[in-house]
């Protein structure tokens, strides 16, 4: 938490002893303020709970959100599901959509993708853009419905027309790849830009990739890096990883192996398999970090277990040549066969 000028007490600076140790002076005013904020959040939650229990339907969705996010109360998805259900019965479109997500993800209730799709449809037919987007994703991936790219694109279009950034970005992917619509890279870029201009990090990343590869626009590595930097600043792991590739290769920016490794680490810490594998390579060859073959193998194995095929290849090479581990040609062949079978 950043301290405001009035919260800082210039008299309470650490004092250094002759042996170099610090005496840390605790600012009790700040601690008291933090405790008061927690108590206020708890009191606000209790008031919200009492009013919702008395039948104030306008607050039931908010109460569900509090339970889902742990705002003023411990996270309790069963209670979140219950209150979303109460609000949904009164026709709250936000709650109907949230209830669908609970059924899709198995949060507070047994997973039921069919029921999730039904709820998304109920809200989508009333022009609720997030539900339209979720329903489109269901049709794209066969979640609770038969896979139908054309239906997916139509629901995404309806949500995109309402200005919903996530739908604009996903519809952009459809146009880029020709999924459910005629392939149109220029239209894809338009949609990515609409979503990116709303601060949607995945769209910023997609737009950056378009500028890197000349998809729907003229190739422009500098513009690519600018968009990837914006995406990475919002802690989007794919954006961080691709930006790291740029720093590693000096594409659109001065090469900086240390910065590349740092970005790979940020994305890896979020579990992004490609970045985990790339960070492994940094450790294997000592690029931007101190060379550590054992750590490289650990990272390759982590990414391979997450299903990232290139990491299996890297791990196989380590097995074959005894890099960071005992040489094991039999295991190397097994890993290469698995990687080949997985494409």
């Amino acid at each position: 938490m950043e301290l405001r000028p009035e919260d800082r007490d210039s008299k309470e600076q650490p004092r250094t002893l002759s042996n170099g140790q610090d005496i840390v002076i605790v600012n009790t005013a700040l601690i008291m303020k933090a405790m008061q904020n927690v108590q206020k959040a708890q009191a606000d939650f209790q008031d919200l709970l009492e009013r919702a229990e008395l039948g104030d339907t306008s607050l039931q969705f908010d109460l569900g959100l509090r339970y889902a996010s742990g705002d003023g109360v411990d996270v309790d998805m069963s209670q979140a599901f219950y209150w979303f259900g109460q609000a949904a019965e009164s026709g709250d479109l936000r709650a109907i959509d949230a209830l669908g997500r609970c059924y899709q993800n198995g949060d507070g209730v047994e997973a039921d993708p069919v029921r999730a799709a039904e709820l998304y449809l109920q809200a989508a037919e009333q022009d609720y853009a997030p539900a339209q987007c979720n329903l489109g994703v269901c049709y794209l991936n066969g979640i609770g419905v038969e896979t139908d790219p054309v239906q997916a694109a139509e629901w995404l279009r309806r949500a995109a027309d309402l200005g919903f950034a996530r739908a604009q970005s996903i519809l952009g992917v459809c146009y880029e790849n020709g999924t459910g619509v005629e392939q149109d890279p220029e239209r894809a870029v338009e949609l990515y830009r609409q979503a990116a201009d709303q601060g949607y990090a995945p769209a910023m990343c997609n737009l950056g990739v378009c500028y890197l590869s000349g998809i729907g626009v003229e190739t422009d590595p500098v513009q690519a890096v600018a968009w990837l930097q914006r995406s990475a600043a919002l802690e989007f792991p794919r954006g961080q990883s691709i930006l790291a590739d740029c720093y590693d290769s000096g594409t659109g920016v001065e090469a900086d192996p240390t910065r590349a490794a740092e970005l790979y680490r940020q994305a890896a810490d979020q579990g992004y398999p490609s970045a985990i594998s790339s960070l492994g390579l940094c450790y294997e060859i000592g690029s931007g970090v101190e060379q550590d073959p054992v750590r490289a193998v650990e990272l390759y194995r982590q990414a391979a277990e997450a299903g990232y095929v290139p990491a299996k290849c890297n791990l196989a090479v380590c097995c074959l040549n005894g890099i960071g581990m005992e040489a094991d040609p039999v295991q190397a062949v097994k890993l290469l066969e698995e990687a080949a079978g997985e494409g």
Side-chain angles (χ1 to χ4, degrees):
M1 179 181 295
E2 183 179 356
L3 302 185
R4 297 171 300 181
E6 59 268 28
D7 292 327
R8 301 190 182 100
D9 188 338
S10 60
K11 296 179 182 179
E12 294 187 353
Q13 297 298 318
R15 295 194 299 273
T16 303
L17 300 179
S18 58
N19 63 5
Q21 294 178 330
D22 289 338
I23 298 175
V24 178
I25 307 298
V26 177
N27 190 327
T28 55
L30 284 180
I31 295 175
M32 291 299 297
K33 185 175 181 180
M35 291 177 61
Q36 289 169 358
N37 288 339
V38 171
Q39 291 169 350
K40 183 178 186 302
Q42 292 173 338
D44 288 346
F45 171 82
Q46 192 60 39
D47 177 64
L48 185 65
L49 176 62
E50 292 173 0
R51 292 164 64 189
E53 287 176 336
L54 290 172
D56 190 336
T57 57
S58 66
L59 299 178
Q60 291 169 341
F61 172 74
D62 293 335
L63 186 58
L65 281 183
R66 292 285 191 99
Y67 273 115
S69 63
D71 183 0
V73 66
D74 290 339
V75 172
D76 187 334
M77 289 309 301
S78 295
Q79 281 294 316
F81 173 79
Y82 171 78
W83 287 109
F84 287 147
Q86 294 297 302
E89 287 181 4
S90 67
D92 189 317
L93 298 179
R94 301 168 302 167
I96 295 169
D97 179 64
L99 202 60
R101 283 184 274 115
C102 288
Y103 275 110
Q104 181 178 339
N105 299 322
D107 289 333
V109 65
E110 185 176 350
D112 185 344
V114 173
R115 180 60 180 146
E118 291 172 350
L119 287 160
Y120 293 148
L121 177 61
Q122 181 182 343
E125 288 179 332
Q126 299 179 67
D127 289 331
Y128 187 60
Q132 292 172 334
C133 180
N134 288 337
L135 185 59
V137 171
C138 287
Y139 275 112
L140 271 180
N141 298 292
I143 300 171
V145 292
E146 291 293 322
T147 302
D148 187 336
V150 175
Q151 275 272 47
E154 174 58 23
W155 282 111
L156 290 167
R157 181 195 62 76
R158 290 176 62 172
D161 286 348
L162 291 171
F164 190 58
R166 179 172 177 246
Q168 291 167 337
S169 184
I170 299 172
L171 184 60
V173 175
C174 291
Y175 274 104
E176 181 180 339
N177 299 322
T179 303
V181 293
E182 186 175 348
Q183 193 170 25
D184 186 341
E186 289 79 11
R187 178 60 178 148
V189 168
E190 291 174 1
L191 287 159
Y192 293 150
R193 195 179 304 279
Q194 289 173 17
D197 286 344
Q198 296 186 66
Y200 189 62
M204 294 174 182
C205 178
N206 292 346
L207 191 55
V209 171
C210 288
Y211 277 110
L212 270 181
S213 304
I215 299 170
V217 291
E218 291 292 322
T219 302
D220 187 337
V222 174
Q223 271 275 44
V225 167
W227 282 109
L228 291 168
Q229 285 173 332
R230 290 178 63 180
S231 176
L234 293 172
E235 300 184 354
F236 184 59
R238 180 170 179 251
Q240 291 168 331
S241 185
I242 299 173
L243 181 60
D245 293 340
C246 293
Y247 275 105
D248 184 55
S249 63
T251 301
V253 68
E254 186 176 350
D256 185 341
T258 301
R259 178 61 175 150
E262 179 186 341
L263 285 160
Y264 285 137
R265 191 186 310 281
Q266 290 174 13
D269 286 346
Q270 297 185 66
Y272 192 65
S274 172
I276 296 170
S277 182
S278 295
L279 185 59
L281 182 60
C282 291
Y283 277 105
E284 182 184 343
I285 65 177
S287 177
V289 294
E290 185 176 347
Q291 192 172 23
D292 186 342
V294 174
R295 179 60 177 148
V297 168
E298 292 173 352
L299 289 161
Y300 290 149
R301 183 168 285 116
Q302 182 183 345
E305 289 173 352
Y308 188 62
V309 174
K312 281 193 176 181
C313 294
N314 292 347
L315 187 58
V317 171
C318 291
C319 284
L320 192 62
N321 297 294
I323 299 170
M325 62 192 305
E326 290 292 325
D328 188 342
V330 174
Q331 180 66 11
V333 170
K334 180 181 177 182
L335 286 165
L336 289 169
E337 288 176 343
E338 289 178 2
E342 294 169 9

